[in-house]
Amino acid sequence: CNGSLGHFLLGDFAQAKVYAKRVLAKNPANENAYSLLVQMSPDAQDFAEIEAQIPKIFENSLEVAFALGLVARKRRVFLKAKEWFTAALKRIGQEDPADIKGVLGETYLEAAVEEESILHDPQVGEKRGEDLRHAVGLMSEAWAAIADSEIKSHRISWIANRALAKMVLDDFSGALA
């Protein structure tokens, strides 16, 4: 699976798929290989079709749930992205949930501000306001978990996006904090 991941990170998806399929041929239960295949789903493929193709063996997989969340978010299917990231968060176990919380918070923010008018509209609806507050909470928790680590420079978007959400909620002093 490391070969597949390496090619994936280098953007060589054709080779990454070859290696992931080899891994799955030897070990059909390898959730890391399957999650890479999910992330390499063709852009033209409908998200519902991707979901429908998930084998039963991966129904409770943290890695596959997170990959589905990433693909749904990329395709701007925010309801499904939130659903899959939430499922991944529930499956986290003893691992650090910071990345999932950060990405889930950003997804709530993206969904809430999808309409450009929200940035200029002083009236934030109750549901949208609730989603924005939830996004702020998730990104704050995620940032608190990594603030003293070396990874923080790679997650700075959580702070910027949290500030944006606070601005939309008219919490200007909180946005600057």
PDB file of all heavy atoms in Angstrom, residues 7-43:
ATOM      1  N   HIS A   7       2.750   6.963  -5.056  1.00  0.00           N
ATOM      2  CA  HIS A   7       2.326   7.433  -6.380  1.00  0.00           C
ATOM      3  C   HIS A   7       1.156   8.404  -6.266  1.00  0.00           C
ATOM      4  O   HIS A   7       1.082   9.385  -7.010  1.00  0.00           O
ATOM      5  CB  HIS A   7       1.960   6.246  -7.276  1.00  0.00           C
ATOM      6  CG  HIS A   7       3.141   5.491  -7.779  1.00  0.00           C
ATOM      7  ND1 HIS A   7       3.995   5.974  -8.740  1.00  0.00           N
ATOM      8  CD2 HIS A   7       3.643   4.279  -7.437  1.00  0.00           C
ATOM      9  CE1 HIS A   7       4.952   5.106  -8.981  1.00  0.00           C
ATOM     10  NE2 HIS A   7       4.757   4.055  -8.193  1.00  0.00           N
ATOM     11  N   PHE A   8       0.260   8.146  -5.331  1.00  0.00           N
ATOM     12  CA  PHE A   8      -0.881   9.049  -5.113  1.00  0.00           C
ATOM     13  C   PHE A   8      -0.383  10.440  -4.725  1.00  0.00           C
ATOM     14  O   PHE A   8      -0.819  11.442  -5.279  1.00  0.00           O
ATOM     15  CB  PHE A   8      -1.801   8.478  -4.024  1.00  0.00           C
ATOM     16  CG  PHE A   8      -2.951   9.355  -3.661  1.00  0.00           C
ATOM     17  CD1 PHE A   8      -4.085   9.400  -4.451  1.00  0.00           C
ATOM     18  CD2 PHE A   8      -2.905  10.158  -2.527  1.00  0.00           C
ATOM     19  CE1 PHE A   8      -5.161  10.217  -4.123  1.00  0.00           C
ATOM     20  CE2 PHE A   8      -3.972  10.976  -2.189  1.00  0.00           C
ATOM     21  CZ  PHE A   8      -5.099  11.008  -2.984  1.00  0.00           C
ATOM     22  N   LEU A   9       0.535  10.492  -3.774  1.00  0.00           N
ATOM     23  CA  LEU A   9       1.056  11.785  -3.309  1.00  0.00           C
ATOM     24  C   LEU A   9       1.818  12.528  -4.402  1.00  0.00           C
ATOM     25  O   LEU A   9       1.851  13.763  -4.409  1.00  0.00           O
ATOM     26  CB  LEU A   9       1.944  11.585  -2.080  1.00  0.00           C
ATOM     27  CG  LEU A   9       1.220  11.117  -0.818  1.00  0.00           C
ATOM     28  CD1 LEU A   9       2.225  10.798   0.289  1.00  0.00           C
ATOM     29  CD2 LEU A   9       0.202  12.139  -0.357  1.00  0.00           C
ATOM     30  N   LEU A  10       2.409  11.778  -5.316  1.00  0.00           N
ATOM     31  CA  LEU A  10       3.129  12.391  -6.442  1.00  0.00           C
ATOM     32  C   LEU A  10       2.197  12.759  -7.599  1.00  0.00           C
ATOM     33  O   LEU A  10       2.632  13.337  -8.587  1.00  0.00           O
ATOM     34  CB  LEU A  10       4.228  11.450  -6.938  1.00  0.00           C
ATOM     35  CG  LEU A  10       5.397  11.241  -5.969  1.00  0.00           C
ATOM     36  CD1 LEU A  10       6.316  10.137  -6.478  1.00  0.00           C
ATOM     37  CD2 LEU A  10       6.160  12.539  -5.766  1.00  0.00           C
ATOM     38  N   GLY A  11       0.920  12.407  -7.453  1.00  0.00           N
ATOM     39  CA  GLY A  11      -0.053  12.732  -8.493  1.00  0.00           C
ATOM     40  C   GLY A  11      -0.080  11.748  -9.648  1.00  0.00           C
ATOM     41  O   GLY A  11      -0.722  11.991 -10.662  1.00  0.00           O
ATOM     42  N   ASP A  12       0.598  10.629  -9.503  1.00  0.00           N
ATOM     43  CA  ASP A  12       0.611   9.599 -10.535  1.00  0.00           C
ATOM     44  C   ASP A  12      -0.508   8.598 -10.213  1.00  0.00           C
ATOM     45  O   ASP A  12      -0.270   7.506  -9.706  1.00  0.00           O
ATOM     46  CB  ASP A  12       1.981   8.909 -10.571  1.00  0.00           C
ATOM     47  CG  ASP A  12       2.104   7.892 -11.694  1.00  0.00           C
ATOM     48  OD1 ASP A  12       1.117   7.684 -12.433  1.00  0.00           O
ATOM     49  OD2 ASP A  12       3.198   7.295 -11.816  1.00  0.00           O
ATOM     50  N   PHE A  13      -1.735   8.990 -10.520  1.00  0.00           N
ATOM     51  CA  PHE A  13      -2.896   8.208 -10.129  1.00  0.00           C
ATOM     52  C   PHE A  13      -2.991   6.876 -10.868  1.00  0.00           C
ATOM     53  O   PHE A  13      -3.486   5.896 -10.315  1.00  0.00           O
ATOM     54  CB  PHE A  13      -4.178   9.013 -10.291  1.00  0.00           C
ATOM     55  CG  PHE A  13      -4.200  10.252  -9.434  1.00  0.00           C
ATOM     56  CD1 PHE A  13      -4.691  11.445  -9.923  1.00  0.00           C
ATOM     57  CD2 PHE A  13      -3.723  10.241  -8.135  1.00  0.00           C
ATOM     58  CE1 PHE A  13      -4.717  12.593  -9.137  1.00  0.00           C
ATOM     59  CE2 PHE A  13      -3.727  11.382  -7.341  1.00  0.00           C
ATOM     60  CZ  PHE A  13      -4.233  12.555  -7.846  1.00  0.00           C
ATOM     61  N   ALA A  14      -2.521   6.835 -12.089  1.00  0.00           N
ATOM     62  CA  ALA A  14      -2.580   5.576 -12.834  1.00  0.00           C
ATOM     63  C   ALA A  14      -1.756   4.499 -12.117  1.00  0.00           C
ATOM     64  O   ALA A  14      -2.233   3.380 -11.915  1.00  0.00           O
ATOM     65  CB  ALA A  14      -2.081   5.782 -14.266  1.00  0.00           C
ATOM     66  N   GLN A  15      -0.537   4.833 -11.729  1.00  0.00           N
ATOM     67  CA  GLN A  15       0.309   3.871 -11.015  1.00  0.00           C
ATOM     68  C   GLN A  15      -0.229   3.617  -9.605  1.00  0.00           C
ATOM     69  O   GLN A  15      -0.155   2.495  -9.113  1.00  0.00           O
ATOM     70  CB  GLN A  15       1.756   4.365 -10.934  1.00  0.00           C
ATOM     71  CG  GLN A  15       2.560   4.087 -12.183  1.00  0.00           C
ATOM     72  CD  GLN A  15       2.625   2.608 -12.496  1.00  0.00           C
ATOM     73  OE1 GLN A  15       2.021   2.148 -13.469  1.00  0.00           O
ATOM     74  NE2 GLN A  15       3.338   1.832 -11.724  1.00  0.00           N
ATOM     75  N   ALA A  16      -0.764   4.643  -8.968  1.00  0.00           N
ATOM     76  CA  ALA A  16      -1.325   4.473  -7.628  1.00  0.00           C
ATOM     77  C   ALA A  16      -2.468   3.463  -7.660  1.00  0.00           C
ATOM     78  O   ALA A  16      -2.581   2.614  -6.769  1.00  0.00           O
ATOM     79  CB  ALA A  16      -1.814   5.815  -7.075  1.00  0.00           C
ATOM     80  N   LYS A  17      -3.297   3.528  -8.701  1.00  0.00           N
ATOM     81  CA  LYS A  17      -4.405   2.573  -8.838  1.00  0.00           C
ATOM     82  C   LYS A  17      -3.885   1.156  -9.054  1.00  0.00           C
ATOM     83  O   LYS A  17      -4.425   0.204  -8.482  1.00  0.00           O
ATOM     84  CB  LYS A  17      -5.318   2.979 -10.002  1.00  0.00           C
ATOM     85  CG  LYS A  17      -6.192   4.165  -9.692  1.00  0.00           C
ATOM     86  CD  LYS A  17      -7.058   4.532 -10.882  1.00  0.00           C
ATOM     87  CE  LYS A  17      -7.850   5.783 -10.594  1.00  0.00           C
ATOM     88  NZ  LYS A  17      -8.681   6.199 -11.730  1.00  0.00           N
ATOM     89  N   VAL A  18      -2.846   1.027  -9.858  1.00  0.00           N
ATOM     90  CA  VAL A  18      -2.270  -0.300 -10.117  1.00  0.00           C
ATOM     91  C   VAL A  18      -1.796  -0.917  -8.810  1.00  0.00           C
ATOM     92  O   VAL A  18      -2.118  -2.077  -8.507  1.00  0.00           O
ATOM     93  CB  VAL A  18      -1.098  -0.208 -11.130  1.00  0.00           C
ATOM     94  CG1 VAL A  18      -0.305  -1.499 -11.184  1.00  0.00           C
ATOM     95  CG2 VAL A  18      -1.620   0.172 -12.516  1.00  0.00           C
ATOM     96  N   TYR A  19      -1.052  -0.151  -8.017  1.00  0.00           N
ATOM     97  CA  TYR A  19      -0.536  -0.676  -6.754  1.00  0.00           C
ATOM     98  C   TYR A  19      -1.656  -0.955  -5.758  1.00  0.00           C
ATOM     99  O   TYR A  19      -1.631  -1.960  -5.044  1.00  0.00           O
ATOM    100  CB  TYR A  19       0.489   0.286  -6.145  1.00  0.00           C
ATOM    101  CG  TYR A  19       1.854   0.166  -6.770  1.00  0.00           C
ATOM    102  CD1 TYR A  19       2.229   0.989  -7.822  1.00  0.00           C
ATOM    103  CD2 TYR A  19       2.769  -0.776  -6.304  1.00  0.00           C
ATOM    104  CE1 TYR A  19       3.483   0.889  -8.399  1.00  0.00           C
ATOM    105  CE2 TYR A  19       4.026  -0.888  -6.876  1.00  0.00           C
ATOM    106  CZ  TYR A  19       4.384  -0.054  -7.928  1.00  0.00           C
ATOM    107  OH  TYR A  19       5.622  -0.171  -8.495  1.00  0.00           O
ATOM    108  N   ALA A  20      -2.647  -0.077  -5.677  1.00  0.00           N
ATOM    109  CA  ALA A  20      -3.766  -0.294  -4.749  1.00  0.00           C
ATOM    110  C   ALA A  20      -4.528  -1.563  -5.120  1.00  0.00           C
ATOM    111  O   ALA A  20      -4.909  -2.349  -4.241  1.00  0.00           O
ATOM    112  CB  ALA A  20      -4.705   0.910  -4.753  1.00  0.00           C
ATOM    113  N   LYS A  21      -4.731  -1.783  -6.408  1.00  0.00           N
ATOM    114  CA  LYS A  21      -5.442  -2.991  -6.853  1.00  0.00           C
ATOM    115  C   LYS A  21      -4.621  -4.251  -6.562  1.00  0.00           C
ATOM    116  O   LYS A  21      -5.185  -5.295  -6.227  1.00  0.00           O
ATOM    117  CB  LYS A  21      -5.800  -2.881  -8.330  1.00  0.00           C
ATOM    118  CG  LYS A  21      -6.927  -1.882  -8.559  1.00  0.00           C
ATOM    119  CD  LYS A  21      -7.265  -1.721 -10.027  1.00  0.00           C
ATOM    120  CE  LYS A  21      -8.374  -0.688 -10.186  1.00  0.00           C
ATOM    121  NZ  LYS A  21      -8.721  -0.464 -11.587  1.00  0.00           N
ATOM    122  N   ARG A  22      -3.307  -4.157  -6.662  1.00  0.00           N
ATOM    123  CA  ARG A  22      -2.443  -5.299  -6.313  1.00  0.00           C
ATOM    124  C   ARG A  22      -2.576  -5.631  -4.831  1.00  0.00           C
ATOM    125  O   ARG A  22      -2.651  -6.798  -4.445  1.00  0.00           O
ATOM    126  CB  ARG A  22      -0.977  -4.985  -6.622  1.00  0.00           C
ATOM    127  CG  ARG A  22      -0.610  -5.096  -8.059  1.00  0.00           C
ATOM    128  CD  ARG A  22       0.879  -4.890  -8.236  1.00  0.00           C
ATOM    129  NE  ARG A  22       1.188  -4.647  -9.627  1.00  0.00           N
ATOM    130  CZ  ARG A  22       2.333  -4.150 -10.060  1.00  0.00           C
ATOM    131  NH1 ARG A  22       3.297  -3.845  -9.197  1.00  0.00           N
ATOM    132  NH2 ARG A  22       2.538  -3.971 -11.338  1.00  0.00           N
ATOM    133  N   VAL A  23      -2.583  -4.578  -4.016  1.00  0.00           N
ATOM    134  CA  VAL A  23      -2.734  -4.784  -2.568  1.00  0.00           C
ATOM    135  C   VAL A  23      -4.068  -5.442  -2.279  1.00  0.00           C
ATOM    136  O   VAL A  23      -4.146  -6.401  -1.502  1.00  0.00           O
ATOM    137  CB  VAL A  23      -2.601  -3.441  -1.794  1.00  0.00           C
ATOM    138  CG1 VAL A  23      -3.017  -3.600  -0.350  1.00  0.00           C
ATOM    139  CG2 VAL A  23      -1.175  -2.910  -1.892  1.00  0.00           C
ATOM    140  N   LEU A  24      -5.130  -4.963  -2.902  1.00  0.00           N
ATOM    141  CA  LEU A  24      -6.463  -5.524  -2.663  1.00  0.00           C
ATOM    142  C   LEU A  24      -6.586  -6.954  -3.196  1.00  0.00           C
ATOM    143  O   LEU A  24      -7.345  -7.757  -2.640  1.00  0.00           O
ATOM    144  CB  LEU A  24      -7.542  -4.633  -3.260  1.00  0.00           C
ATOM    145  CG  LEU A  24      -7.757  -3.305  -2.514  1.00  0.00           C
ATOM    146  CD1 LEU A  24      -8.658  -2.371  -3.317  1.00  0.00           C
ATOM    147  CD2 LEU A  24      -8.324  -3.546  -1.126  1.00  0.00           C
ATOM    148  N   ALA A  25      -5.838  -7.273  -4.244  1.00  0.00           N
ATOM    149  CA  ALA A  25      -5.857  -8.647  -4.756  1.00  0.00           C
ATOM    150  C   ALA A  25      -5.263  -9.606  -3.722  1.00  0.00           C
ATOM    151  O   ALA A  25      -5.733 -10.731  -3.563  1.00  0.00           O
ATOM    152  CB  ALA A  25      -5.088  -8.734  -6.069  1.00  0.00           C
ATOM    153  N   LYS A  26      -4.243  -9.132  -3.011  1.00  0.00           N
ATOM    154  CA  LYS A  26      -3.606  -9.960  -1.978  1.00  0.00           C
ATOM    155  C   LYS A  26      -4.362  -9.905  -0.652  1.00  0.00           C
ATOM    156  O   LYS A  26      -4.383 -10.866   0.101  1.00  0.00           O
ATOM    157  CB  LYS A  26      -2.165  -9.508  -1.754  1.00  0.00           C
ATOM    158  CG  LYS A  26      -1.255  -9.803  -2.910  1.00  0.00           C
ATOM    159  CD  LYS A  26       0.159  -9.329  -2.634  1.00  0.00           C
ATOM    160  CE  LYS A  26       1.044  -9.592  -3.849  1.00  0.00           C
ATOM    161  NZ  LYS A  26       2.413  -9.128  -3.624  1.00  0.00           N
ATOM    162  N   ASN A  27      -4.946  -8.730  -0.369  1.00  0.00           N
ATOM    163  CA  ASN A  27      -5.652  -8.529   0.899  1.00  0.00           C
ATOM    164  C   ASN A  27      -6.910  -7.694   0.635  1.00  0.00           C
ATOM    165  O   ASN A  27      -6.863  -6.462   0.736  1.00  0.00           O
ATOM    166  CB  ASN A  27      -4.742  -7.840   1.920  1.00  0.00           C
ATOM    167  CG  ASN A  27      -5.443  -7.585   3.236  1.00  0.00           C
ATOM    168  OD1 ASN A  27      -6.577  -7.994   3.443  1.00  0.00           O
ATOM    169  ND2 ASN A  27      -4.781  -6.878   4.127  1.00  0.00           N
ATOM    170  N   PRO A  28      -8.017  -8.332   0.314  1.00  0.00           N
ATOM    171  CA  PRO A  28      -9.251  -7.604  -0.019  1.00  0.00           C
ATOM    172  C   PRO A  28      -9.801  -6.745   1.118  1.00  0.00           C
ATOM    173  O   PRO A  28     -10.670  -5.903   0.886  1.00  0.00           O
ATOM    174  CB  PRO A  28     -10.247  -8.714  -0.365  1.00  0.00           C
ATOM    175  CG  PRO A  28      -9.421  -9.914  -0.632  1.00  0.00           C
ATOM    176  CD  PRO A  28      -8.168  -9.770   0.170  1.00  0.00           C
ATOM    177  N   ALA A  29      -9.293  -6.917   2.319  1.00  0.00           N
ATOM    178  CA  ALA A  29      -9.786  -6.142   3.464  1.00  0.00           C
ATOM    179  C   ALA A  29      -8.905  -4.925   3.768  1.00  0.00           C
ATOM    180  O   ALA A  29      -9.093  -4.268   4.785  1.00  0.00           O
ATOM    181  CB  ALA A  29      -9.868  -7.033   4.700  1.00  0.00           C
ATOM    182  N   ASN A  30      -7.970  -4.597   2.889  1.00  0.00           N
ATOM    183  CA  ASN A  30      -7.060  -3.475   3.150  1.00  0.00           C
ATOM    184  C   ASN A  30      -7.781  -2.152   2.923  1.00  0.00           C
ATOM    185  O   ASN A  30      -7.962  -1.709   1.792  1.00  0.00           O
ATOM    186  CB  ASN A  30      -5.814  -3.580   2.270  1.00  0.00           C
ATOM    187  CG  ASN A  30      -4.746  -2.581   2.672  1.00  0.00           C
ATOM    188  OD1 ASN A  30      -5.012  -1.388   2.744  1.00  0.00           O
ATOM    189  ND2 ASN A  30      -3.554  -3.085   2.937  1.00  0.00           N
ATOM    190  N   GLU A  31      -8.178  -1.526   4.028  1.00  0.00           N
ATOM    191  CA  GLU A  31      -8.965  -0.289   3.923  1.00  0.00           C
ATOM    192  C   GLU A  31      -8.148   0.887   3.427  1.00  0.00           C
ATOM    193  O   GLU A  31      -8.695   1.812   2.823  1.00  0.00           O
ATOM    194  CB  GLU A  31      -9.647   0.032   5.251  1.00  0.00           C
ATOM    195  CG  GLU A  31      -8.728   0.263   6.417  1.00  0.00           C
ATOM    196  CD  GLU A  31      -9.483   0.423   7.713  1.00  0.00           C
ATOM    197  OE1 GLU A  31     -10.287  -0.459   8.046  1.00  0.00           O
ATOM    198  OE2 GLU A  31      -9.257   1.432   8.398  1.00  0.00           O
ATOM    199  N   ASN A  32      -6.844   0.882   3.648  1.00  0.00           N
ATOM    200  CA  ASN A  32      -6.010   1.988   3.146  1.00  0.00           C
ATOM    201  C   ASN A  32      -5.961   1.983   1.623  1.00  0.00           C
ATOM    202  O   ASN A  32      -6.086   3.036   0.987  1.00  0.00           O
ATOM    203  CB  ASN A  32      -4.602   1.904   3.735  1.00  0.00           C
ATOM    204  CG  ASN A  32      -4.589   2.199   5.212  1.00  0.00           C
ATOM    205  OD1 ASN A  32      -5.329   3.042   5.698  1.00  0.00           O
ATOM    206  ND2 ASN A  32      -3.755   1.489   5.951  1.00  0.00           N
ATOM    207  N   ALA A  33      -5.788   0.814   1.039  1.00  0.00           N
ATOM    208  CA  ALA A  33      -5.766   0.710  -0.422  1.00  0.00           C
ATOM    209  C   ALA A  33      -7.125   1.112  -0.992  1.00  0.00           C
ATOM    210  O   ALA A  33      -7.198   1.850  -1.982  1.00  0.00           O
ATOM    211  CB  ALA A  33      -5.401  -0.712  -0.848  1.00  0.00           C
ATOM    212  N   TYR A  34      -8.194   0.650  -0.361  1.00  0.00           N
ATOM    213  CA  TYR A  34      -9.523   0.987  -0.874  1.00  0.00           C
ATOM    214  C   TYR A  34      -9.810   2.479  -0.732  1.00  0.00           C
ATOM    215  O   TYR A  34     -10.392   3.090  -1.627  1.00  0.00           O
ATOM    216  CB  TYR A  34     -10.619   0.155  -0.203  1.00  0.00           C
ATOM    217  CG  TYR A  34     -11.896   0.255  -0.976  1.00  0.00           C
ATOM    218  CD1 TYR A  34     -12.076  -0.507  -2.123  1.00  0.00           C
ATOM    219  CD2 TYR A  34     -12.885   1.150  -0.624  1.00  0.00           C
ATOM    220  CE1 TYR A  34     -13.227  -0.382  -2.894  1.00  0.00           C
ATOM    221  CE2 TYR A  34     -14.033   1.277  -1.379  1.00  0.00           C
ATOM    222  CZ  TYR A  34     -14.199   0.518  -2.509  1.00  0.00           C
ATOM    223  OH  TYR A  34     -15.320   0.660  -3.280  1.00  0.00           O
ATOM    224  N   SER A  35      -9.370   3.072   0.373  1.00  0.00           N
ATOM    225  CA  SER A  35      -9.616   4.508   0.555  1.00  0.00           C
ATOM    226  C   SER A  35      -8.879   5.328  -0.509  1.00  0.00           C
ATOM    227  O   SER A  35      -9.380   6.359  -0.961  1.00  0.00           O
ATOM    228  CB  SER A  35      -9.223   4.960   1.965  1.00  0.00           C
ATOM    229  OG  SER A  35      -7.821   4.972   2.130  1.00  0.00           O
ATOM    230  N   LEU A  36      -7.708   4.861  -0.929  1.00  0.00           N
ATOM    231  CA  LEU A  36      -7.000   5.555  -2.015  1.00  0.00           C
ATOM    232  C   LEU A  36      -7.787   5.446  -3.326  1.00  0.00           C
ATOM    233  O   LEU A  36      -7.886   6.423  -4.078  1.00  0.00           O
ATOM    234  CB  LEU A  36      -5.592   4.992  -2.183  1.00  0.00           C
ATOM    235  CG  LEU A  36      -4.597   5.390  -1.107  1.00  0.00           C
ATOM    236  CD1 LEU A  36      -3.304   4.604  -1.250  1.00  0.00           C
ATOM    237  CD2 LEU A  36      -4.320   6.885  -1.158  1.00  0.00           C
ATOM    238  N   LEU A  37      -8.343   4.271  -3.585  1.00  0.00           N
ATOM    239  CA  LEU A  37      -9.156   4.118  -4.802  1.00  0.00           C
ATOM    240  C   LEU A  37     -10.370   5.049  -4.766  1.00  0.00           C
ATOM    241  O   LEU A  37     -10.732   5.632  -5.791  1.00  0.00           O
ATOM    242  CB  LEU A  37      -9.592   2.664  -4.977  1.00  0.00           C
ATOM    243  CG  LEU A  37      -8.506   1.674  -5.387  1.00  0.00           C
ATOM    244  CD1 LEU A  37      -9.065   0.256  -5.432  1.00  0.00           C
ATOM    245  CD2 LEU A  37      -7.900   2.053  -6.731  1.00  0.00           C
ATOM    246  N   VAL A  38     -10.976   5.177  -3.611  1.00  0.00           N
ATOM    247  CA  VAL A  38     -12.125   6.083  -3.477  1.00  0.00           C
ATOM    248  C   VAL A  38     -11.688   7.509  -3.812  1.00  0.00           C
ATOM    249  O   VAL A  38     -12.355   8.221  -4.559  1.00  0.00           O
ATOM    250  CB  VAL A  38     -12.725   6.022  -2.054  1.00  0.00           C
ATOM    251  CG1 VAL A  38     -13.693   7.171  -1.808  1.00  0.00           C
ATOM    252  CG2 VAL A  38     -13.414   4.681  -1.822  1.00  0.00           C
ATOM    253  N   GLN A  39     -10.544   7.929  -3.271  1.00  0.00           N
ATOM    254  CA  GLN A  39     -10.068   9.291  -3.509  1.00  0.00           C
ATOM    255  C   GLN A  39      -9.690   9.539  -4.963  1.00  0.00           C
ATOM    256  O   GLN A  39      -9.660  10.681  -5.409  1.00  0.00           O
ATOM    257  CB  GLN A  39      -8.874   9.600  -2.612  1.00  0.00           C
ATOM    258  CG  GLN A  39      -9.270   9.716  -1.148  1.00  0.00           C
ATOM    259  CD  GLN A  39      -8.079  10.018  -0.279  1.00  0.00           C
ATOM    260  OE1 GLN A  39      -7.496  11.091  -0.383  1.00  0.00           O
ATOM    261  NE2 GLN A  39      -7.714   9.073   0.584  1.00  0.00           N
ATOM    262  N   MET A  40      -9.404   8.465  -5.696  1.00  0.00           N
ATOM    263  CA  MET A  40      -9.045   8.609  -7.110  1.00  0.00           C
ATOM    264  C   MET A  40     -10.235   8.366  -8.035  1.00  0.00           C
ATOM    265  O   MET A  40     -10.065   8.206  -9.241  1.00  0.00           O
ATOM    266  CB  MET A  40      -7.899   7.650  -7.447  1.00  0.00           C
ATOM    267  CG  MET A  40      -6.604   8.031  -6.769  1.00  0.00           C
ATOM    268  SD  MET A  40      -5.224   6.955  -7.224  1.00  0.00           S
ATOM    269  CE  MET A  40      -5.574   5.473  -6.258  1.00  0.00           C
ATOM    270  N   SER A  41     -11.436   8.361  -7.490  1.00  0.00           N
ATOM    271  CA  SER A  41     -12.626   8.184  -8.319  1.00  0.00           C
ATOM    272  C   SER A  41     -12.649   9.267  -9.391  1.00  0.00           C
ATOM    273  O   SER A  41     -12.325  10.422  -9.117  1.00  0.00           O
ATOM    274  CB  SER A  41     -13.894   8.298  -7.467  1.00  0.00           C
ATOM    275  OG  SER A  41     -13.921   7.289  -6.493  1.00  0.00           O
ATOM    276  N   PRO A  42     -13.047   8.902 -10.608  1.00  0.00           N
ATOM    277  CA  PRO A  42     -13.098   9.898 -11.682  1.00  0.00           C
ATOM    278  C   PRO A  42     -14.025  11.064 -11.315  1.00  0.00           C
ATOM    279  O   PRO A  42     -15.082  10.863 -10.722  1.00  0.00           O
ATOM    280  CB  PRO A  42     -13.667   9.116 -12.872  1.00  0.00           C
ATOM    281  CG  PRO A  42     -13.464   7.677 -12.536  1.00  0.00           C
ATOM    282  CD  PRO A  42     -13.472   7.576 -11.042  1.00  0.00           C
ATOM    283  N   ASP A  43     -13.598  12.263 -11.657  1.00  0.00           N
ATOM    284  CA  ASP A  43     -14.393  13.456 -11.337  1.00  0.00           C
ATOM    285  C   ASP A  43     -15.790  13.396 -11.932  1.00  0.00           C
ATOM    286  O   ASP A  43     -16.729  13.943 -11.358  1.00  0.00           O
ATOM    287  CB  ASP A  43     -13.680  14.722 -11.816  1.00  0.00           C
ATOM    288  CG  ASP A  43     -12.449  15.038 -10.981  1.00  0.00           C
ATOM    289  OD1 ASP A  43     -12.356  14.544  -9.833  1.00  0.00           O
ATOM    290  OD2 ASP A  43     -11.575  15.787 -11.465  1.00  0.00           O
TER     291      ASP A  43
END
